[in-house]
Amino acid sequence: MKAVLTIAGSDSSGGAGIQADLKTIAAHQLFGESVITALTAQNTTGVFGVMDVDPAFVGAQMDAVFDDIRPDAVKIGMVSSPAIVRAIADGLRRHRAESIVVDPVMVATSGSALIADAAVDALVAELFPLAAVITPNIPEAEVLAGMAIGCADDVERAAELIAARCAAAGETSPNPDAAPRVPAIMVKGGHGVGDPDAADDYLRMAGGEHVWLHGKRVHTENTHGTGCSLSSAIACGLAQGFSADVAVREAKAYVAGALAAGLNLGRGSGPLNHMWRYPGPAPC
């Protein structure tokens, strides 16, 4: 059985973060492992507290995982401080991790900030050069590219600016194995820049090839953990040997199905139905 490691924050309500990642990995019939970077007190209505894990202990968790059941792919989600970013990057380099997906989580679905501003620069400098795929949504892409995004052309330009920033980070990286490297960049279209009935994502491959991935929007307020689940599903595809573009397409289809399944829990933006492909009780 292939193993996938998620390095992310814990969501006490179970809809996002580590919990959503492990559910996604299980739904793909792979073995899930976890390194927790932060504890959050949150539910479908918001985030009420964040407590970071000591960076040294983040590294200790990584060592324990890699020294026993080595993961075939790694997904990185919420990392709220530069020190934790560096601990993760050191661990990935130390263990020569492969097939890394970085979801640059900055804001929760509820609108709560999840990352310090200084950690964004650390993400780009330390983790992007190690990644095979990164998955910013439109607000995150705006931060990473330093520009506003209002149309499809803006999305494409932002992806190019992010790619250039990744290349520059790779060239200045202290790790010779990482320089220079540009990951595949998936700019997620869930926030929309055009047709309100479309869910179109943009994929810029590492070699510069690019494609729009068109889809129909699932009109639902229950989107808690969508980004976490998508990036974990991409990691599952990479663990199984899929190319980045195939892994992204398969992950997009999985998340669309999880949204369309119509789970309705909580008083805010509810979670997805991660096990929608399997028979079971009817959705709530």
Side-chain angles (χ1 to χ4, degrees):
M1 180 180 286
K2 299 291 186 180
V4 176
L5 168 63
T6 167
I7 304 176
S10 169
D11 173 6
S12 53
S13 71
I18 287 284
Q19 288 81 355
D21 296 339
L22 291 175
K23 291 172 187 176
T24 298
I25 296 165
H28 284 78
Q29 299 184 319
L30 304 181
F31 185 78
E33 303 175 281
S34 65
V35 167
I36 297 178
T37 61
L39 302 178
T40 70
Q42 69 172 296
N43 57 31
T44 63
T45 67
V47 178
F48 304 97
V50 177
M51 183 172 68
D52 287 343
V53 172
D54 180 79
F57 195 70
V58 171
Q61 292 178 77
M62 294 181 68
D63 290 342
V65 170
F66 276 93
D67 288 345
D68 189 15
I69 304 175
R70 181 179 177 84
D72 298 280
V74 180
K75 171 264 171 79
I76 302 169
M78 176 189 172
V79 283
S80 55
S81 76
I84 294 175
V85 171
R86 287 191 289 272
I88 294 169
D90 288 345
L92 295 174
R93 290 191 289 260
R94 184 165 60 250
H95 294 288
R96 297 187 177 275
E98 299 176 339
S99 300
I100 299 167
V101 179
V102 178
D103 182 15
V105 180
M106 298 177 188
V107 178
T109 301
S110 62
S112 302
L114 294 173
I115 185 171
D117 291 341
V120 176
D121 290 337
L123 271 176
V124 175
E126 299 278 356
L127 294 181
F128 283 12
L130 303 175
V133 183
I134 64 173
T135 61
N137 59 29
I138 287 175
E140 291 158 354
E142 290 179 325
V143 172
L144 294 170
M147 62 171 283
I149 296 176
C151 64
D153 288 344
D154 290 342
V155 172
E156 296 182 12
R157 174 167 168 72
E160 292 303 319
L161 290 173
I162 295 169
R165 191 174 178 186
C166 291
E171 290 170 357
T172 59
S173 171
N175 175 29
D177 295 335
R181 181 175 180 178
V182 176
I185 301 167
M186 180 187 189
V187 181
K188 299 175 292 191
H191 288 78
V193 292
D195 184 350
D197 293 320
D200 297 336
D201 305 311
Y202 180 74
L203 178 64
R204 185 201 186 275
M205 296 297 294
E209 306 91 346
H210 55 90
V211 63
W212 277 96
L213 307 175
H214 298 289
K216 290 186 177 181
R217 181 176 298 275
V218 178
H219 290 285
T220 175
E221 296 180 355
N222 299 313
T223 59
H224 186 55
T226 304
C228 304
S229 303
L230 177 72
S231 53
S232 294
I234 294 172
C236 289
L238 295 180
Q240 295 174 89
F242 297 164
S243 62
D245 60 325
V246 173
V248 165
R249 290 178 187 275
E250 291 292 322
K252 180 178 174 66
Y254 166 76
V255 169
L259 286 167
L263 192 62
N264 186 25
L265 297 173
R267 294 181 292 109
S269 178
L272 317 184
N273 185 346
H274 291 92
M275 308 308 287
W276 66 274
R277 286 175 169 163
Y278 303 95
C284 300

